Amino acid sequence: MAEEKDAEGTEALVAELHKKIKDAFEVFDHESNNTVDVREIGTIIRSLGCCPTEGELHDFIAEIEEEEPTGYIRFEKFIPVMTRALVERRYRPAAEDILLRAFEVLDPAKRGFLTKDELVKYMTEEGEPFSQEEMEEMLSAAIDPESNTINYRDYITMMVVDEN
């Protein structure tokens, strides 16, 4: 009996995930033909609370693309892979303490903030560099316009996804 109840709970969870995935996909299905531009896949995945790296996103797309890539992704290819990623809780955002430690590494003087120039330098020249668009988006959310700095504790609080 407990196994049966478990199966019902899993089915309900999967049905709920399918609805969320379909809703997110449909926002970008401009032709209403169950396809989206492959360049929108990262946005769709992120809108579902996932934070894949560019490498993970590339692998995800490779898994759902047609054998002869068309530039479009079909919903029926997307939904099973996205459902599995959500059920397995893949691509989770970093925890608050990890983000704080990362910012503190960039702030050896422990001032509690980075200047706009410092942030731009780190985000565009180190590791997996941000695109111009990503940088502008981050700056619009992160920078205090009066001081032209980012108080990273405030920014982390704003960024962290509530898991409940």
Side-chain angles (χ1 to χ4, degrees), residues 38-52:
V38 68
R39 294 169 296 190
E40 302 290 5
I41 293 297
T43 304
I44 296 168
I45 292 172
R46 289 181 191 98
S47 78
L48 292 165
C50 295
C51 299

Side-chain angles (χ1 to χ4, degrees), residues 11-82:
E11 280 179 34
L13 172 70
V14 169
E16 187 181 318
L17 289 177
H18 280 184
K19 181 178 179 349
K20 282 183 179 174
I21 294 166
K22 184 162 183 54
D23 291 348
F25 193 91
E26 285 177 345
V27 169
F28 296 94
D29 183 5
H30 304 298
E31 307 291 322
S32 299
N33 63 357
N34 286 324
T35 65
V36 296
D37 187 306
V38 68
R39 294 169 296 190
E40 302 290 5
I41 293 297
T43 304
I44 296 168
I45 292 172
R46 289 181 191 98
S47 78
L48 292 165
C50 295
C51 299
T53 64
E54 286 301 313
E56 289 169 331
L57 181 58
H58 180 81
D59 292 347
F60 187 100
I61 290 170
E63 191 173 343
I64 60 175
E65 252 180 339
E66 300 297 321
E67 287 186 31
E68 292 293 320
T70 61
Y72 290 89
I73 300 297
R74 293 181 312 139
F75 181 70
E76 56 269 21
K77 288 260 203 171
F78 179 76
I79 194 163
V81 179
M82 190 68 235

